[in-house]
Amino acid sequence: MGVPVLSTDLRLKKLRGSGGYVIATVDDLQQGKGNLGGPDLFLAPIGRIDTSRISKFFCNTCESEYDGAPDIKYESPNEEVAENLILAEKGQYICQTCSSTLAEYREFKKSDEAADVGAAKPIEVADTVASEATEVADISIIEDAGPDTISTELPVPETDPESQPETGEIRSIIGMAIFDMGAAGMGTVKQIGIDATQTLTLVVEGADGTRQMIAWDRVRSVGDIILLGEKGPAAAPSQDHGCPQCKFENKPDSKFCEQCGHAF
């Protein structure tokens, strides 16, 4: 008897990225990956889509919609970024007109699916990046592309100049991908600051654009990616302060949502 044809499982969907969107046909598996719990589907969790299945794309920079597919630039490093976690592919969807990035993605795989992810691989800092490094004493402004901030300045303790690390050993973690213990992607670090309790905190933005705050004491290791460990006692109070409207994780003493202004 007849076997279901693959095309019957394909659906035309709008897939959003940080710099635009594409209109493409996706199967049930891809649709499940792109669904982060809201009404929209996102490109980042899906990864690379065959250009023949993309009919249109929209660029936020150009503010225009174009027929056909954007350029897709990718590489397959197959690099071990943590114990039992391989970066299989990373790439970008790029506007053919202005070369702006519509979306970025990274695809990871486990060497052993039954095992947990271990410590992150240490960062190897090359001498060629020395000119891009920042002296510890100069780090004070916390950069962020969004309007909402936790803190604009971090206190820098006085240190002996002879104990300062040499130029080239400092690397920003802004923009780094962050993963939980199960190797599930949580988003990228957008900001670092200090909350009302003077706790060093990361602001992490997910693929759907929502943000959450993660205490630094949850960070298990930092390498090419950031891996989280189990929630510590300090993180427990914040779990009851997720905004019911936008899901942003607020400080325990917040009266209003710092993301959308919703009153608690």
Side-chain angles (χ1 to χ4, degrees):
M1 299 297 289
V3 178
V5 182
L6 179 61
S7 60
T8 60
D9 295 330
L10 298 178
R11 299 176 179 84
L12 190 65
K13 296 291 183 180
K14 176 188 288 187
L15 309 172
R16 296 188 179 277
S18 59
Y21 62 79
V22 303
I23 304 296
T25 52
V26 294
D27 57 31
D28 290 340
L29 178 61
Q30 291 171 320
Q31 186 171 338
K33 289 181 177 179
N35 187 347
L36 300 180
D40 297 320
L41 299 180
F42 294 89
L43 265 174
I46 295 176
R48 177 162 50 96
I49 299 175
D50 193 309
T51 54
S52 64
R53 291 164 58 180
I54 301 176
S55 57
K56 293 182 179 181
F57 70 92
F58 181 88
C59 173
N60 289 350
T61 302
C62 297
E63 296 185 343
S64 298
E65 187 177 70
Y66 302 96
D67 291 329
D71 291 331
I72 302 178
K73 296 182 179 180
Y74 66 94
E75 56 181 314
S76 302
N78 287 318
E79 176 185 358
E80 185 179 28
V81 295
E83 295 175 10
N84 197 35
L85 189 65
I86 305 296
L87 175 59
E89 181 175 309
K90 60 181 179 180
Q92 297 176 317
Y93 288 78
I94 299 175
C95 176
Q96 293 185 1
T97 301
C98 71
S99 298
S100 295
T101 300
L102 307 181
E104 293 182 318
Y105 69 90
R106 291 187 180 188
E107 294 183 356
F108 295 89
K109 63 181 180 181
K110 289 184 177 181
S111 302
D112 182 357
E113 290 295 335
D116 292 332
V117 175
K121 181 180 177 182
I123 300 172
E124 296 180 1
V125 181
D127 293 338
T128 54
V129 302
S131 61
E132 299 177 3
T134 306
E135 295 284 351
V136 171
D138 293 334
I139 298 177
S140 58
I141 302 300
I142 307 302
E143 297 182 359
D144 177 39
D148 50 324
T149 61
I150 290 179
S151 173
T152 57
E153 186 170 324
L154 283 177
V156 181
E158 294 183 3
T159 56
D160 184 350
E162 294 182 359
S163 66
Q164 292 281 349
E166 294 181 1
T167 301
E169 296 181 359
I170 302 299
R171 178 179 175 182
S172 173
I173 64 173
I174 300 295
M176 270 193 181
I178 186 166
F179 293 80
D180 63 16
M181 294 183 65
M186 300 183 66
T188 57
V189 178
K190 304 299 286 187
Q191 197 176 41
I192 307 173
I194 297 176
D195 65 14
T197 63
Q198 297 297 301
T199 300
L200 188 62
T201 305
L202 303 179
V203 176
V204 178
E205 183 175 284
D208 60 352
T210 59
R211 294 187 175 189
Q212 60 176 314
M213 297 193 298
I214 296 176
W216 179 255
D217 59 10
R218 283 196 59 197
V219 175
R220 177 177 176 181
S221 57
V222 179
D224 290 336
I225 62 172
I226 298 173
L227 287 177
L228 298 180
E230 296 180 355
K231 288 186 177 181
S238 65
Q239 62 186 356
D240 294 327
H241 290 79
C243 176
Q245 184 163 302
C246 72
K247 310 303 181 185
F248 184 81
E249 194 71 21
N250 291 273
K251 296 190 289 290
D253 58 350
S254 296
K255 303 299 183 184
F256 297 88
C257 176
E258 298 175 19
Q259 178 80 356
C260 67
H262 178 73
F264 296 138

